[in-house]
Amino acid sequence: MKPVRELLKMLQDIQNGNAKKVVQCIREKGPMSRVELSEAMGIPQPTMTRIIEKLIDGNILVEKGFGTSNGGRRPILVAFNENCSYAAGVELGRNAIRAAVTNLDGKILSFREKETALDLSIDQLIMEVGKLVSQVVADSGVDSQLIFGVGVGLPGPLNESPDGRISPPNFYGAEGIPLKERLEEVLEYEVTIENDANCGALAEKWFGAGKNVENFIFLFADVGIGSGIILRNGIYRGTYGEAGEIGHSTIHVFGERCYCGNYGCLETFCSLPVIINKVQNELKTAPERERLLFPEESMKIQDIVSALKRGSFTAEKVLREAGQFLGIGASNLVNLFAPDEIIIGGKAGASHPIFMESVRESLRSHVIGYNGKKTPVSVSDLSHGVVLGAAARAIHETFYSLSK
């Protein structure tokens, strides 16, 4: 295989960016013949043939099977080679780092996770990311020269300054972090930075339930609440790249204070820490038989789901309430954007069918439009969606961003 630098130069050089357009077309529509590609893209057939031959020579495309004959010889189909190079994805959360190496079709070849503490310095955090990425690259068995970049997803809003420094809220006590620059120094790969909800949306678009959906919203329900908005097959970021912060929309103006400084944010009603805290408070006055269904310390969402399966009314009550509030957030998104679908990811979203049932009921109750009430709400079936989406961000940036 050719080293990544040669592949990327080839993509940039062939016909002033037409190579990227060809790759994008085949990636989205599947194997096609040279004639079909020429007609679909409006590129003369001799030019298309030269582009494809160079991409085959670079192992970016491969010949794969035959198409349907229109009377003559069956045409040879060309397909995207998802193993021509690889990407690394990193989820840089407030309490854990997750990293993976994937091929260009989202297949995870290696994965590792490491818990972190919020009192880590940014220097320590960056070194931990460096170690974890080195480990997953080694685990994958992939030649490091075939990895073209690292995508990193972290909680938003990123609050990026003109010089590229970021200041996510409640992020290891640091602001003005030159994260891209520092990570590139340590990793020695090109790094792309994205908020975690957008990463989740990209993962769904490239590899999951949103693959053939033009307009959808990925609702990330985990330690925080966020949303990634896909409109006309692309991420909608807004003017300053801060669109989608549904977790900090106000649900109750006189509600509890959020760490962001506002009161009554959606995140204060249905994020994982809130769900766990509410269960713990409910248990203070619950019967002993109810309390015995839960661990005494270090409660996690899995413990709440386990207790629910064993008949806990406390777990059911709290999960239904949290689902109701998330459904209100989802209904606001439907009222604003009228998407084709809502896809819910994160540990809260995948916790239990009762939670999702409550989300759907709440959405139907609060959406105004008759058709909007029928908006499908599904649970992501991707494992490690933010990590996958971070890798997808690097893939998108390298292979599918069209030259302007």
Side-chain angles (χ1 to χ4, degrees), residues 214-321:
E214 186 174 5
N215 304 294
F216 70 89
I217 294 175
F218 175 76
L219 194 50
F220 187 53
D222 206 283
V223 174
I225 307 293
S227 65
I229 303 166
I230 300 291
L231 297 180
R232 297 180 181 176
N233 294 313
I235 292 179
Y236 176 74
R237 292 186 173 86
T239 304
Y240 302 106
E242 298 172 356
E245 290 298 331
I246 189 67
H248 298 286
S249 60
T250 301
I251 299 299
H252 190 326
V253 71
F254 300 114
E256 294 182 14
R257 186 171 185 176
C258 181
Y259 68 81
C260 74
N262 290 328
Y263 290 85
C265 293
L266 177 64
E267 198 163 293
T268 66
F269 289 93
C270 54
S271 63
L272 284 182
V274 170
I275 291 172
I276 292 168
N277 187 56
K278 284 185 176 180
V279 168
Q280 290 171 330
N281 286 336
E282 290 279 343
L283 289 177
K284 291 176 182 177
T285 56
E288 183 179 3
R289 63 179 180 275
E290 179 75 6
R291 295 198 301 271
L292 290 174
L293 296 174
F294 298 85
E296 293 183 9
E297 297 179 358
S298 302
M299 191 180 297
K300 297 180 179 179
I301 187 66
Q302 296 93 325
D303 300 316
I304 297 172
V305 172
S306 176
L308 175 57
K309 290 176 179 177
R310 289 183 288 162
S312 168
F313 60 82
T314 300
E316 180 173 350
K317 175 186 175 184
V318 172
L319 283 176
R320 282 195 185 279
E321 286 179 353

Side-chain angles (χ1 to χ4, degrees), residues 14 62 89 94 103 111 160 163 195 231 242-243 262 274 291 325:
I14 299 174
V62 292
R94 294 188 178 100
N103 72 0
F111 175 86
E160 187 173 358
D163 63 358
N195 79 54
L231 297 180
E242 298 172 356
N262 290 328
V274 170
R291 295 198 301 271
F325 282 111

Side-chain angles (χ1 to χ4, degrees), residues 8-69:
L8 300 187
K9 187 175 187 304
M10 179 179 294
L11 283 172
Q12 293 293 342
D13 289 349
I14 299 174
Q15 297 296 321
N16 297 320
N18 275 338
K20 279 192 174 185
K21 297 177 184 179
V22 170
V23 170
Q24 184 177 8
C25 185
I26 294 175
R27 171 64 177 77
E28 291 178 352
K29 297 182 179 180
M32 301 175 72
S33 71
R34 291 161 173 82
V35 172
E36 288 173 330
L37 277 163
S38 176
E39 292 175 350
M41 299 184 64
I43 295 175
Q45 194 168 333
T47 301
M48 178 60 73
T49 298
R50 286 194 296 272
I51 292 172
I52 290 173
E53 293 311 311
K54 287 186 177 181
L55 289 172
I56 289 175
D57 180 60
N59 206 36
I60 295 170
L61 299 182
V62 292
E63 293 185 335
K64 189 175 183 178
F66 296 89
T68 303
S69 170

Side-chain angles (χ1 to χ4, degrees), residues 84-101:
C84 67
S85 56
Y86 304 86
V90 176
E91 179 182 359
L92 191 48
R94 294 188 178 100
N95 56 16
I97 307 167
R98 300 175 183 90
V101 170

